[in-house]
Amino acid sequence: MIVCGVDIGTTNLKVSIVDEAGVSRWTRAVPTPRMPSPSGAGVDAVQLVRAIEDLIIEGWTSVGQGKPLSAIATTGVGEDGICVDRSLTPLDHSIPWYDRRAVAEASEIRDSEAATTRAGIEMEHTRTGAKWLWLRRHQPALFSDSTWIALTDYPSVVWTGRPFISETLASRTGCYDVAQRNWIEGLLECCGAPALPEVLRAGEVVGRVQDGP
């Protein structure tokens, strides 16, 4: 049995092929494909998936010995995300988590009546919730008939055709109750959150990889 792990980092993208004993048989890291822009180098999620798939194919060709991959798991940046349409096509590049455009929005949310400690983290400009409010004000068309997908989850969403958000990434939005394990509706409203997919807990199987085009 062999499995694949994908680490989508702020700086680097890493893929490892691991055997049944937990031994890494092949690992390669490349720079995360960020797109330069006036607002800070965001990620083209389609280009990101292509880069990941190229690495997986390279690693499997090198050490797979014809065995199928039993599983692929992704981890990575927690706050970056994108709006996708019904065909799961991104409507814009992701905003980097470290981008400071939502500083004022984060302060406004912290000072609002919706502010609560239930999220377990303070609302800062790095949180997805603050970016949602900024996008709602500056690019509202993105939220029309779309769904929010975390960048780390996007490859699995594309491969399986199942929109979801990992619970660990839901918690990074600043709008998720980590004790009750559900969304904080008042904060979602305050942040102008887009439509959100189902939440999956760590270790849950998303689905089977679909055939490509």
Side-chain angles (χ1 to χ4, degrees):
M1 181 183 74
I2 54 173
V3 297
C4 178
V6 180
D7 182 5
I8 303 169
T10 300
T11 304
N12 292 314
L13 170 65
K14 182 186 295 182
V15 169
S16 290
I17 307 294
V18 181
D19 65 19
E20 63 273 10
V23 176
S24 178
R25 296 300 182 183
W26 183 92
T27 299
R28 186 180 175 197
V30 299
T32 300
R34 291 193 172 273
M35 309 292 292
S37 70
S39 60
V43 171
D44 180 332
V46 172
Q47 183 180 358
L48 175 69
V49 172
R50 288 173 182 161
I52 293 171
E53 290 175 344
D54 287 345
L55 286 173
I56 292 174
I57 292 170
E58 180 183 346
W60 180 84
T61 301
S62 177
V63 300
Q65 299 180 336
K67 299 177 182 178
L69 288 171
S70 298
I72 305 173
T74 62
T75 187
V77 288
E79 292 84 1
D80 296 23
I82 48 174
C83 285
V84 302
D85 62 18
R86 294 186 181 184
S87 68
L88 304 180
T89 300
L91 301 178
D92 198 4
H93 297 163
S94 69
I95 300 175
W97 63 269
Y98 52 80
D99 185 285
R100 296 186 59 83
R101 75 185 69 187
V103 169
E105 282 74 14
S107 177
E108 180 181 332
I109 297 165
R110 287 197 304 272
D111 293 339
S112 72
E113 293 183 358
T116 175
T117 60
R118 289 164 54 199
I121 55 176
E122 186 175 26
M123 184 63 70
E124 299 175 344
H125 68 278
T126 60
R127 309 298 180 212
T128 313
K131 297 294 198 306
W132 285 338
L133 185 55
W134 187 93
L135 286 169
R136 177 68 70 177
R137 289 171 171 171
H138 296 272
Q139 296 178 257
L142 289 178
F143 289 3
S144 177
D145 197 24
S146 66
T147 302
W148 182 265
I149 302 294
L151 189 64
T152 294
D153 292 330
Y154 184 67
S156 296
V157 169
V158 170
W159 294 332
T160 64
R162 180 184 182 184
F164 75 97
I165 184 170
S166 300
E167 189 172 45
T168 53
L169 303 183
S171 69
R172 302 300 296 172
T173 66
C175 299
Y176 191 77
D177 188 323
V178 293
Q180 297 299 317
R181 308 186 90 151
N182 54 33
W183 293 106
I184 303 171
E185 294 297 333
L187 270 176
L188 291 181
E189 182 177 354
C190 181
C191 295
L196 298 170
E198 64 178 320
V199 178
L200 296 184
R201 296 185 181 184
E204 284 193 63
V205 175
V206 179
R208 298 180 67 87
V209 176
Q210 300 176 336
D211 292 336

